[in-house]
Amino acid sequence: MLYEKLARPVLFRIGRGDAEKAHHSTLTMLEHVSDNRIIRQSMIKANQVYAPVTVAGVKFPNPIGLAAGMDKNGVAIGAWPALGFGFAEVGTVTWHPQPGNPQPRLFRLPGSQALINRMGFNNDGAQALAARLAISPPVNCPIGVSIGKSKITPLEEATSDYLESMRVLYRFADYFAVNVSSPNTPGLRSLQGAEQMRELLGALRAESESLAAGRPERPIFVKIAPDLTEPAIAELLEVCQDTGVTGVIATNTTLGRDGVLQQEESIAAEPGGLSGAPLRSISRAVVEFVHRETDGKMPIIGSGGVMSPDHAQSLFDAGASLVQLYSGLVYSGPSLVRRSARRAKRARRHRRAQPRR
Ligand SMILES: Cc1cc2nc3c(=O)[nH]c(=O)nc-3n(C[C@H](O)[C@H](O)[C@H](O)COP(=O)(O)O)c2cc1C
């Protein structure tokens, strides 16, 4: 409430016509939180909801996480548990540092509770992220690392680009997210084809096995686009199972524009991926499909359109083990994180109290 009444108007004013400026101001503020142990610890005490869950061998203090793209370079990792998150996914990083697409590249659609972005993986590169994580103090929650393909690397050499990033970041990641679904890197989504996936995921699994050197491997999640057909998702899931990939993140942003208010159609014409409220029903349907297709055996991280605790719960109900949010943080503020984690905790307690049939 305080966020919606006070902080959001200020942030939106800072970034009037330039949503990326507001994003940078927020991140700078959070960097200070991250760097100050006393502030960080007192915020953790105030905001962390303890609703522990273990997924793929990783222990999460609660199942609500920060989605990729907000903290691409891992500059504020200590701040995320302080806001109440049970995990944070940094990145997407690429092997080669790159500036991303020309600005403006981030647009707000407040009436539709949505964002459109065509950032294009602006990031400092995998080595810079590794260097930052190497000196960061221990964080109170798991950190996922999202890796993508550098723009300058030809698609045919995508596998080695992902492998390089995995190598330098392996010891800092609690899990990896393989991003093959951003709509903002030309050709990237074609890597979701079964043949390309088999090569990429097979190579990443083999590398992971060798990097783990006999210890438990880092789980690998593949982040998929909401615009894939069900047969294409089914094929991709088969490859995931064959290559021993842990699970999927469903979903990334959509190229569709359904659910955008008519008065925001001119902004909706901007190229890029749509996130927030209009994505909700699509992501939920993909989570449900993956859960059904894999008989509930494959861990799913739900992502897309979580703007309220009930929305997060609906992704859990559809089969997600963990849920991430990004746009909801922009529109509803950090209280959404705590409220969603509490909602999940209540639902779990309620389920446990139900008599078994
Ligand atoms: C500005 C912006 C940048 C993003 N960057 C990335 C990214 O680098 N990697 C990625 O996997 N997803 C990225 N995403 C997608 C989010 O992680 C998330 O999957 C998507 O926004 C749907 O969730 P939401 O509706 O809660 O925002 C980005 C989203 C936004 C709005």
Side-chain angles (χ1 to χ4, degrees):
M1 213 53 174
L2 206 60
Y3 174 85
E4 281 154 349
K5 289 236 155 64
L6 289 173
R8 187 176 68 188
V10 173
L11 282 170
F12 279 22
R13 207 164 306 133
I14 293 171
R16 204 198 311 252
D18 184 359
E20 197 170 338
K21 207 163 149 192
H23 169 79
H24 287 302
S25 305
T26 309
L27 212 56
T28 305
M29 203 164 64
L30 291 171
E31 227 176 303
H32 292 305
V33 171
S34 183
D35 290 344
N36 187 312
R37 195 177 59 87
I38 296 172
I39 296 180
R40 213 173 57 227
Q41 292 301 346
S42 59
M43 283 179 69
I44 285 176
K45 225 165 154 185
N47 295 332
Q48 261 294 338
V49 177
Y50 192 61
V53 56
T54 300
V55 178
V58 181
K59 287 185 182 141
F60 296 82
N62 74 61
I64 306 294
L66 177 76
M70 174 70 85
D71 191 2
K72 289 186 189 273
N73 296 307
V75 295
I77 53 166
W80 307 115
L83 293 183
F85 282 106
F87 66 109
E89 194 170 301
V90 296
T92 298
V93 288
T94 51
W95 176 240
H96 298 284
Q98 54 184 41
N101 289 323
Q103 295 185 26
R105 52 194 180 178
L106 175 60
F107 305 88
R108 288 194 209 105
L109 297 83
S112 313
Q113 296 269 289
L115 297 169
I116 288 177
N117 91 84
R118 51 169 179 272
M119 307 301 285
F121 291 167
N122 53 308
N123 77 102
D124 297 343
Q127 285 164 299
L129 176 62
R132 200 165 284 128
L133 295 176
I135 55 165
S136 97
V139 184
N140 302 59
C141 70
I143 298 295
V145 174
S146 170
I147 53 177
K149 184 191 78 69
S150 313
K151 192 174 178 190
I152 57 164
T153 301
L155 269 177
E156 312 78 71
E157 291 162 32
T159 299
S160 58
D161 199 81
Y162 282 89
L163 283 172
E164 295 280 18
S165 295
M166 176 181 259
R167 276 183 208 118
V168 293
L169 286 160
Y170 201 76
R171 67 193 182 94
F172 306 111
D174 291 293
Y175 72 84
F176 278 98
V178 180
N179 188 353
V180 281
S181 49
S182 164
N184 302 313
T185 295
L188 188 84
R189 286 180 161 202
S190 69
L191 294 175
Q192 292 173 119
E195 205 181 305
Q196 293 87 336
M197 276 278 89
R198 202 173 287 282
E199 181 197 323
L200 176 62
L201 298 179
L204 287 170
R205 264 305 316 283
E207 189 66 25
S208 168
E209 198 178 342
S210 126
L211 290 163
R215 286 193 292 274
E217 282 180 49
R218 304 290 187 271
I220 298 176
F221 288 84
V222 181
K223 187 160 179 179
I224 62 177
D227 308 324
L228 292 173
T229 60
E230 288 191 347
I233 299 175
E235 220 177 0
L236 197 149
L237 292 172
E238 206 180 303
V239 178
C240 288
Q241 279 161 338
D242 291 350
T243 51
V245 156
T246 313
V248 298
I249 304 178
T251 65
N252 213 317
T253 55
T254 176
L255 285 172
R257 292 296 183 260
D258 288 353
V260 170
L261 296 183
Q262 206 170 2
Q263 64 262 35
E264 290 182 328
E265 267 174 5
S266 62
I267 319 174
E270 290 288 347
L274 178 76
S275 59
L279 183 58
R280 185 181 317 130
S281 55
I282 316 171
S283 304
R284 192 187 193 279
V286 176
V287 170
E288 222 163 28
F289 179 75
V290 174
H291 186 69
R292 203 171 51 238
E293 274 294 298
T294 57
D295 294 327
K297 290 196 184 103
M298 181 176 271
I300 305 166
I301 303 180
S303 161
V306 173
M307 318 303 276
S308 81
D310 282 349
H311 301 153
Q313 190 53 45
S314 117
L315 285 180
F316 289 123
D317 294 341
S321 305
L322 300 163
V323 163
Q324 298 177 322
L325 49 95
Y326 187 137
S327 305
L329 191 63
V330 173
Y331 286 107
S332 304
S335 78
L336 173 62
V337 182
R338 294 191 297 279
R339 290 185 289 119
S340 299
R342 274 195 221 111
R343 175 81 175 76
K345 188 175 182 171
R346 268 202 314 278
R348 217 185 291 162
R349 207 181 288 148
H350 182 73
R351 236 187 347 265
R352 277 201 207 110
Q354 297 289 314
R356 289 191 181 208
R357 290 175 197 200

